[in-house]
Amino acid sequence: MILETATTTLLEPFDLESRKLERIFGTLAARKVDYADLYFQYSRSEGWSLEEGIVKSGSFNIEQGVGVRAVSGEKTAFAYSDEISFDALEDAAKATRAIASAGQARVVKAGSRQLPTPLYGAIDPIASLPSEAKVALLEKMERKCRALDPRITQVMASLAGEYEVVLIARADGNIAADVRPLVRLSVQVIAEQNGRRETGSAGGGGRTDFSHFTGEVLDSYAKQAVSQALTNLEARPAPAGTMTVVLGPGWPGVLLHEAVGHGLEGDFNRKGSSAFNGRLGQRVASPGVTVVDDGTLPGRRGSLTVDDEGTPSQRNVLIEDGVLRGYLQDSLNARLMKMPLTGNARRESFAHLTMPRMTNTYMLAGPHDPQEIIRSVKKGLYATNFAGGQVDITNGKFVFSAAEAYLIEDGKVTHPVKGATLIGNGPDALTRVSMIGNDLALDTGIGTCGKEGQSVPVGVGQPTLKIDGLTVGGTG
């Protein structure tokens, strides 16, 4: 059904049957190449934003096109067109074949199909709810936030939906397709008390339609955003220094994503720029630390039935019991590093080149009760939410700001603190993990990852973690 949807959306309206695709690959193969593909894409997206009780902006966008790529050795030739037609494909193929003839000759034929089990429904989220109901959904979100506390003075909410159809035709004859729905709702609140203003935020979504946002789900977003804002109203300046840090479950896994995950992507390791380069089979983390990247979780924001080269998604164990086991790969880097494909080739759109990227990256649970972990800390910081951060993958150094954090004193969570930043080195921090909770949680579906100017949806997660001797930058 998915392949049929993709074919009727992206090939048949433009009279592009298999024979014509073979001719395009014949043009590409006039110079020998190691790999070549055509990436067809159709996407329709919309967004709604509410502020001060009014939906002040809305957007709607339709985009379609095709990218033509040929790879020879380490070189990539790429052209794209927002017109899908045989002539446009032929022009792009002629521009692309200028690549040097350093590759291997390939037999070019069309017909093979990649048909893995879909991880989400082939649905159009935008059509799942009338416009009036989408506006009402945002208004309901605002009312729920304001009803929780009179100190909430402002609510900003946004709703987004996307329907995307992709078809990948490869020079080796494989054809794969995917229909990718995606929805997200985000809310931010401002609380004010005695002249002090603080913010809180929440949200979520996934590869489904707007029915995901039930009353129960909206209640959970409202409670999280309002609780965070009110907590920050009471927060004291964060202390500074080297101390034990406990990270909460779920979204704090964004630190793992940034400080460790990017360093395990194949391109950085092939080029020798990652702190994890050349360390396969070596201990890189404390015993008990197992990190996976799993694109096969049904309905998750970061999941893909097939990646953007048509390879089925996989569950890849990157670090197992503290030992580095693998990297995330696309076809180019896997071939040059003589490693297997992992299903992690991703691109923002047909107008962008494929790169190895994460899907849903998380650490597996350990044996400890979260309260046991808290009780083990004499003095430290408990960070339950993060606002953002920066990482240098060449050395793993990171700086993250905590959106919600508390002091731990004599084994108890006490006062909330504001202005805490975590400063460290990803590979080093992994070796300082001393306790791993049994409460693994994934984020609610809000993650977007940026790399070399491209943004793609991702998921993160982890259990409660105790990290010894992390540097905390504070304001007090």
Side-chain angles (χ1 to χ4, degrees):
M1 179 180 174
I2 288 177
L3 186 59
E4 181 181 342
T5 298
T7 301
T8 56
T9 302
L10 293 164
L11 298 184
E12 290 179 2
F14 311 104
D15 195 25
L16 290 171
E17 73 275 9
S18 296
R19 181 176 52 82
K20 289 187 177 179
L21 296 185
E22 288 181 15
R23 288 171 60 186
I24 298 301
F25 284 119
T27 299
L28 288 171
R31 299 284 185 104
K32 296 176 183 178
V33 295
D34 293 302
Y35 176 92
D37 66 14
L38 310 175
Y39 183 86
F40 297 88
Q41 178 191 27
Y42 168 86
S43 67
R44 188 167 69 250
S45 60
E46 70 172 16
W48 304 80
S49 296
L50 176 145
E51 190 174 348
E52 297 177 343
I54 303 169
V55 174
K56 290 189 172 181
S57 65
S59 62
F60 184 81
N61 183 58
I62 295 177
E63 186 177 42
Q64 67 180 24
V66 58
V68 180
R69 180 173 59 135
V71 181
S72 180
E74 295 186 22
K75 302 175 184 177
T76 297
F78 176 67
Y80 68 90
S81 172
D82 56 9
E83 174 192 346
I84 300 178
S85 69
F86 178 77
D87 290 342
L89 275 170
E90 189 74 6
D91 289 344
K94 288 176 181 176
T96 302
R97 74 178 181 184
I99 192 168
S101 55
Q104 304 295 315
R106 296 281 178 172
V107 177
V108 179
K109 62 177 183 178
S112 178
R113 302 289 191 263
Q114 295 263 12
L115 297 172
T117 302
L119 299 172
Y120 29 80
I123 53 179
D124 180 357
I126 296 174
S128 70
L129 204 63
S131 296
E132 299 81 4
K134 293 166 188 169
V135 171
L137 187 64
L138 290 175
E139 291 173 342
K140 184 188 292 186
M141 184 78 256
E142 185 198 34
R143 289 196 301 272
K144 286 180 178 291
C145 291
R146 290 188 181 276
L148 288 173
D149 197 282
R151 289 171 288 180
I152 300 301
T153 59
Q154 194 166 343
V155 179
M156 295 147 285
S158 63
L159 184 68
E162 182 178 17
Y163 172 72
E164 181 179 82
V165 183
V166 300
L167 186 144
I168 306 104
R170 301 196 317 220
D172 62 6
N174 284 313
I175 293 180
D178 204 2
V179 177
R180 299 170 177 169
L182 191 65
V183 295
R184 173 176 165 166
L185 189 152
S186 301
V187 61
Q188 183 179 32
V189 302
I190 296 177
E192 190 166 349
Q193 178 178 272
N194 300 327
R196 180 172 174 175
R197 305 172 84 230
E198 297 290 350
T199 64
S201 61
R207 294 202 177 276
T208 179
D209 61 23
F210 291 120
S211 65
H212 177 80
F213 303 114
T214 62
E216 184 179 357
V217 168
L218 296 185
D219 284 340
S220 69
Y221 295 166
K223 288 175 183 176
Q224 181 183 338
V226 170
S227 173
Q228 186 183 117
L230 298 182
T231 296
N232 285 331
L233 280 178
E234 308 297 328
R236 304 175 179 179
T242 301
M243 65 184 73
T244 299
V245 173
V246 177
L247 302 179
W251 178 247
V254 68
L255 191 151
L256 180 75
H257 168 103
E258 295 288 355
V260 177
H262 278 297
L264 298 177
E265 291 169 339
D267 48 355
F268 295 134
N269 287 278
R270 178 177 64 82
K271 297 171 184 177
S273 58
S274 168
F276 292 99
N277 176 50
R279 300 190 66 186
L280 283 176
Q282 297 179 18
R283 178 165 296 283
V284 296
S286 299
V289 172
T290 297
V291 178
V292 302
D293 183 88
D294 190 353
T296 71
L297 302 175
R300 298 295 305 183
R301 180 174 170 84
S303 295
L304 298 168
T305 300
V306 294
D307 73 4
D308 291 332
E309 292 177 336
T311 303
S313 286
Q314 301 176 29
R315 180 183 186 273
N316 299 293
V317 178
L318 303 176
I319 298 172
E320 183 179 29
D321 197 21
V323 177
L324 183 60
R325 295 300 185 194
Y327 302 125
L328 302 174
Q329 301 287 9
D330 62 353
S331 63
L332 183 151
N333 291 284
R335 174 174 50 81
L336 293 174
M337 296 178 75
K338 295 180 171 57
M339 291 182 177
L341 290 170
T342 62
N344 289 92
R346 305 194 65 184
R347 62 203 298 173
E348 181 176 319
S349 77
F350 68 88
H352 297 83
L353 276 170
T354 302
M355 295 182 287
R357 306 286 298 271
M358 285 172 275
T359 57
N360 304 296
T361 312
Y362 55 95
M363 186 185 296
L364 298 191
H368 298 284
D369 182 273
Q371 293 305 313
E372 176 193 359
I373 294 176
I374 297 292
R375 286 195 299 269
S376 72
V377 179
K378 176 72 173 173
K379 184 177 181 180
L381 185 79
Y382 180 40
T384 61
N385 210 326
F386 285 103
Q390 293 180 322
V391 179
D392 182 346
I393 63 99
T394 61
N395 52 31
K397 291 182 179 178
F398 63 80
V399 179
F400 272 84
S401 58
E404 184 175 355
Y406 305 83
L407 287 180
I408 304 175
E409 298 172 295
D410 295 322
K412 295 180 180 179
V413 177
T414 57
H415 303 290
V417 293
K418 183 174 172 60
T421 57
L422 304 186
I423 304 165
N425 173 292
D428 177 65
L430 283 180
T431 67
R432 296 176 179 271
V433 174
S434 58
M435 297 179 79
I436 304 172
N438 58 12
D439 58 340
L440 168 64
L442 300 178
D443 76 291
T444 54
I446 59 173
T448 298
C449 173
K451 177 179 176 181
E452 296 183 21
Q454 293 192 42
S455 296
V456 296
V458 295
V460 301
Q462 66 174 41
T464 297
L465 292 182
K466 178 183 176 183
I467 305 177
D468 296 324
L470 205 57
T471 301
V472 176
T475 53

